[in-house]
Amino acid sequence: MLESRITLADGAHKIVDNVVVAHGAAGGLLNILILLLLTSAILIVGIRTAERAIALLVLQSTILAAIATVVAVVSGTAEIYVSVVATLAVKAVLVPFMLFRVLRRVGSVETARMYLGARNATVVALGLVLLAYALISPTAIAGTLITGSYFPTSVALILVGGLVMVVRRKALIQVIGLIVIENGVYVASMATTHGLPPVVELGIAFDLFVTVLLLATLALRIGVSSETLDTSALRRLRG
Amino acid sequence: MPHIVPILLLAAPLLAALLCLIPVGPRVAELVSALDAIAVVSLAIWIATSTTATPIRIEPGIYIDALSATMVLLIGVVSAVVVLYSLGYLRAEVRRGKLNLGQIRWYFCFLHLFIFSMLLVPLAGNLGIVWVAMEFTTVLSGVLVGFYRSGSALEAAWKYVVICSLGIGLALFGTVLMYYSAVQILGQGNNALDWATLARVAPHLNPGLVRLSFAFVLVGFGTKAGLAPMHTWLPDAHSQSPSPVSALLSAVLLNCALYAVLRYHALAIRVLGPAFSSHLLIAFGLFSIAVAVPFLLVQHDIKRLLAYSSMEHIGIITVASGIGGRLGFFAALLHLVNHAMTKSFMFLASGTLIQRLETRNIHRLGGASRAAPILVAMLLLGGLALAGSPPFSPFIGEFLTVRAALLAGQPLVGGVLLVLLALAFAGLLAHFGRIALGPPSRKGKHLDAKAVPTAYERLGICALSVPAAIVLVLGLHVPDGLATLLHNASQVIGGA
């Protein structure tokens, strides 16, 4: 898995290999969707306003649901539709709706400030994606599933989601980072096992919904009490 | 034990939470809560006393072995004490103008939901549901951490929910990996996440996947257990939440997270042998103690002091489970019980003191013994217990841990542990000595100090004396029933 000399170029090669070797029409479609998924994650890192970040999140969650649908059709596993519906309902509709509501109430539409410039952060995100592919061979964890080679994608999404949470100061965008990580774990479960059992998937979706509901409420209250959603202003508690 | 008992145990707090929603005065919510507390603790004791070495399975999805019974007992006792104490505490907060009467029923509603979610963690036999319940505890306790709605409380709640959700996201990744390794043998479905089934087929699981899974689960649930370096939320959340909630967070919630880690540890031992996961646990445990001790020495805020002390004790439990063997696991579980009892008492007793003297600052609490002599004397004894002094029960846990380390041929671990424990001892003793015996602070207010306690407050004092009494009794003698339960539980982790 871990060769002695790994370069980011290796990662790029593996992505290309991964896309070129398509398994029929469904495989080709899946590859395109996976590329779109990675692109949407990288774009979120450098996006200017919170509105656009939320819009990208809707797009990303829809792509995720589309991937799950393709897998469900190809593998004939009806249980996957449960998680398709849960993903669409929670990650593409409810969560973005709650985040938009906070934005409207707090009225914070200015450029989302960052610890790292937008361009630099995007470059780092790209580097993280390449690193994920360089470190983990697509065949390392691959089973016999059609999605088997997408394990590195999930690791890339988790890394990029973590980056979003670290470099963005805006409270709302940290929530978006959390969901990108969650999406990465979802891809991992698709890549390895066609998803967790439906009961667990529903539980996870419900948890995500209430977590974001609480975070949105807190963001509203913090925004009201300090007129800002800038997390770097949150430093009362130390030591 | 009739199969309805665990189901009733889960239903009672849910029903109580529903009843608290009825929009009438706080009296109804308070009455319902008191009744629920008694029901929960009785059912939990019933489960713990009727659990033997043979696990019980109840459809749908409930699985009780000695390890889960230990956790159920702990959650039942501490949550009942906390609910009964909350009655007087909240009324006093209303008098002080920190909360209004209308908030009382909402507090109890979320408190019961929080207790329900914690009970679900040990009762669920499915590792996926354990994850769902853990994330659910984060959200519900997050509401309670921010309950005062002050700037710093909201900030603490935000930090807590974001950091723990991030951690728990990684734990989900670990869960997916464990599921994948099991699906290769058991096929898709809930069976491949069922803990007992996994333990049975463990020798056939893919070692590489299990190793990766344990690492992610340890970091993920370790974040919620307050292991360093993922602990940064812990002192904020514990110090900003209402004192009864701090007691629940520290005495039970951290243990629930540790419980989940121990379940994966048990699987990792069976798949990989003891070396891999044990070394990780010892390293994270010692590091957590080492990070907590300096903050114990320089602390000014009594609740933050107790929070860092929780980190220290969680570290000790983690090290003990890493050392393993019959003695190591027994020491870990005994210390888990000891710490839960001592810390719930300490948070509740200091909560009352904070209300009377209107400050959390240790210097301003100086000489508080004039205002509340009995309470402060109990706090001093509790501080001694936390520091690990005999004859209190935490001493036994720490002693057994060091002994297990030496017997397991790890004198270095034992030595480092002893040095850190000595430093923590000095820090805790200095702070509680100052509160009890130090010169009275001129700035401190002692106005409300002599006020006559209300009936609710007397009930609260009785409630918080229960864990104090348990600490004293366990320090002198561990009853046979409890010892058997803990021995059976350590066999669940380490194998027969």
Side-chain angles (χ1 to χ4, degrees):
Chain A
M1 223 154 100
L2 196 73
E3 282 96 41
S4 51
R5 276 169 53 240
I6 297 162
T7 60
L8 292 185
D10 284 344
H13 281 303
K14 285 186 194 160
I15 295 182
V16 173
D17 289 348
N18 206 195
V19 173
V20 172
V21 187
H23 327 270
L29 183 58
L30 275 178
N31 281 338
I32 293 169
L33 288 171
I34 283 285
L35 268 187
L36 285 175
L37 197 66
L38 282 172
T39 315
S40 69
I42 294 169
L43 285 179
I44 286 178
V45 175
I47 208 85
R48 292 277 167 203
T49 65
E51 278 88 346
R52 287 190 209 161
I54 298 172
L56 263 178
L57 185 72
V58 175
L59 183 70
Q60 187 177 94
S61 305
T62 316
I63 296 170
L64 206 61
I67 291 173
T69 313
V70 173
V71 173
V73 171
V74 172
S75 68
T77 319
E79 287 174 344
I80 298 179
Y81 291 114
V82 175
S83 79
V84 171
V85 174
T87 302
L88 277 178
V90 172
K91 290 182 190 165
V93 179
L94 287 171
V95 164
F97 172 76
M98 289 187 285
L99 295 180
F100 264 125
R101 221 176 117 248
V102 176
L103 269 190
R104 253 206 335 270
R105 296 267 288 278
V106 180
S108 152
V109 287
E110 91 242 43
T111 312
R113 289 206 287 154
M114 308 176 70
Y115 290 109
L116 203 64
R119 199 181 304 154
N120 291 344
T122 311
V123 172
V124 174
L126 207 61
L128 285 178
V129 172
L130 295 180
L131 187 72
Y133 271 87
L135 284 177
I136 301 165
S137 147
T139 52
I141 299 221
T144 49
L145 306 178
I146 186 169
T147 45
S149 56
Y150 298 139
F151 192 72
T153 316
S154 73
V155 177
L157 279 181
I158 292 172
L159 289 175
V160 172
L163 180 73
V164 171
M165 293 187 73
V166 172
V167 300
R168 306 300 291 242
R169 284 192 200 169
K170 288 287 167 188
L172 277 190
I173 303 206
Q174 293 193 338
V175 180
I176 293 176
L178 257 183
I179 297 165
V180 173
I181 292 177
E182 191 94 28
N183 287 348
V185 177
Y186 188 82
V187 172
S189 76
M190 277 292 147
T192 53
T193 62
H194 286 170
L196 293 166
V199 187
V200 180
E201 289 280 6
L202 284 179
I204 294 170
F206 177 72
D207 270 348
L208 191 70
F209 167 66
V210 287
T211 306
V212 176
L213 183 65
L214 172 62
L215 285 174
T217 315
L218 286 173
L220 268 180
R221 296 237 168 93
I222 294 173
V224 169
S225 71
S226 67
E227 304 278 312
T228 171
L229 281 178
D230 193 330
T231 51
S232 61
L234 298 181
R235 47 185 64 216
R236 254 174 295 232
L237 301 169
R238 299 208 145 168
Chain B
M1 174 182 66
H3 281 185
I4 193 82
V5 174
I7 294 170
L8 280 179
L9 180 62
L10 287 174
L14 272 185
L15 181 68
L18 270 179
L19 290 175
C20 287
L21 288 175
I22 301 170
V24 287
R27 289 257 165 216
V28 175
E30 285 166 348
L31 182 68
V32 166
S33 300
L35 291 176
D36 172 69
I38 293 161
V40 165
V41 72
S42 327
L43 292 168
I45 291 175
W46 192 347
I47 289 179
T49 47
S50 53
T51 301
T52 56
T54 333
I56 304 164
R57 182 183 292 280
I58 300 164
E59 291 307 322
I62 295 178
Y63 177 83
I64 304 173
D65 56 18
L67 183 58
S68 26
T70 310
M71 292 301 300
V72 166
L73 180 65
L74 213 57
I75 299 168
V77 171
V78 175
S79 61
V81 169
V82 162
V83 168
L84 293 178
Y85 174 85
S86 294
L87 300 172
Y89 181 86
L90 282 195
R91 287 291 178 142
E93 290 301 84
V94 172
R95 274 203 309 279
R96 293 168 69 206
K98 297 261 178 186
L99 296 173
N100 59 50
L101 272 181
Q103 282 174 295
I104 289 183
R105 65 190 178 89
W106 286 107
Y107 170 87
F108 280 114
C109 174
F110 281 109
L111 190 65
H112 293 309
L113 286 175
F114 179 35
I115 292 168
F116 162 78
S117 64
M118 287 194 296
L119 284 168
L120 191 56
V121 173
L123 287 176
N126 181 310
L127 290 178
I129 302 296
V130 169
W131 185 91
V132 171
M134 282 302 302
E135 173 65 9
F136 206 39
T137 61
T138 310
V139 179
L140 293 164
S141 53
V143 174
L144 292 167
V145 169
F147 203 74
Y148 285 129
R149 297 194 192 174
S150 64
S152 42
L154 292 174
E155 181 182 331
W158 174 271
K159 202 168 160 185
Y160 168 52
V161 177
V162 167
I163 293 176
C164 285
S165 301
L166 172 63
I168 223 158
L170 299 180
L172 183 60
F173 192 63
T175 311
V176 167
L177 291 173
M178 184 60 83
Y179 181 58
Y180 179 45
S181 76
V183 161
Q184 295 169 351
I185 303 166
L186 301 166
Q188 304 264 339
N190 286 317
N191 209 18
L193 276 173
D194 182 81
W195 192 80
T197 315
L198 282 172
R200 210 177 52 241
V201 302
H204 309 289
L205 295 176
N206 177 334
L209 283 173
V210 172
R211 195 174 293 135
L212 210 54
S213 164
F214 181 78
F216 274 98
V217 164
L218 177 61
V219 171
F221 286 136
T223 306
K224 260 201 86 122
L227 291 178
M230 300 85 72
H231 67 283
T232 49
W233 61 272
L234 189 143
D236 297 347
H238 283 65
S239 62
Q240 295 304 316
S241 48
S243 296
V245 175
S246 319
L248 267 186
L249 288 179
S250 175
V252 203
L253 185 60
L254 301 182
N255 290 337
C256 282
L258 217 50
Y259 161 85
V261 174
L262 286 181
R263 285 284 188 205
Y264 280 88
H265 178 46
L267 289 176
I269 291 175
R270 286 163 173 78
V271 181
L272 308 162
F276 173 74
S277 51
S278 299
H279 288 166
L280 278 178
L281 285 174
I282 292 176
F284 270 99
L286 281 181
F287 186 59
S288 304
I289 307 174
V291 167
V293 164
F295 288 97
L296 277 179
L297 295 174
V298 301
Q299 204 47 248
H300 299 296
D301 181 322
I302 187 171
K303 287 181 82 175
R304 291 181 86 84
L305 178 72
L306 293 175
Y308 280 110
S309 147
S310 298
M311 248 182 93
E312 181 216 336
H313 285 278
I314 289 291
I316 295 170
I317 300 166
T318 311
V319 170
S321 4
I323 293 165
R326 287 186 74 140
L327 187 59
F329 290 129
F330 183 80
L333 293 168
L334 182 65
H335 200 62
L336 200 125
V337 175
N338 293 339
H339 170 250
M341 293 303 139
T342 320
K343 197 51 69 65
S344 51
F345 162 73
M346 288 301 277
F347 266 117
L348 298 180
S350 57
T352 300
L353 197 66
I354 291 165
Q355 278 186 332
R356 294 205 188 163
L357 302 181
E358 300 276 345
T359 180
R360 294 204 308 259
N361 187 302
I362 291 170
H363 298 277
R364 292 194 188 180
L365 287 171
S369 48
R370 292 185 190 183
I374 299 172
L375 192 63
V376 171
M378 283 173 84
L379 260 183
L380 180 63
L381 292 180
L384 277 172
L386 273 188
S389 145
F392 303 107
S393 59
F395 167 74
I396 311 281
E398 292 177 3
F399 176 76
L400 288 181
T401 305
V402 175
R403 189 175 146 82
L406 297 180
L407 287 180
Q410 296 181 319
L412 190 65
V413 174
V416 172
L417 196 59
L418 271 181
V419 172
L420 291 171
L421 289 181
L423 283 171
F425 187 95
L428 283 168
L429 202 62
H431 291 307
F432 284 101
R434 183 194 298 275
I435 293 174
L437 312 166
S441 156
R442 255 171 281 152
K443 288 181 193 161
K445 294 183 206 166
H446 292 210
L447 297 176
D448 198 23
K450 296 269 186 204
V452 183
T454 62
Y456 276 163
E457 279 166 352
R458 278 197 215 108
L459 179 66
I461 301 281
C462 291
L464 69 83
S465 311
V466 172
I470 295 177
V471 171
L472 204 55
V473 169
L474 288 186
L476 301 172
H477 171 68
V478 180
D480 293 342
L482 183 64
T484 316
L485 184 67
L486 295 183
H487 269 300
N488 289 339
S490 31
Q491 279 183 359
V492 170
I493 309 174

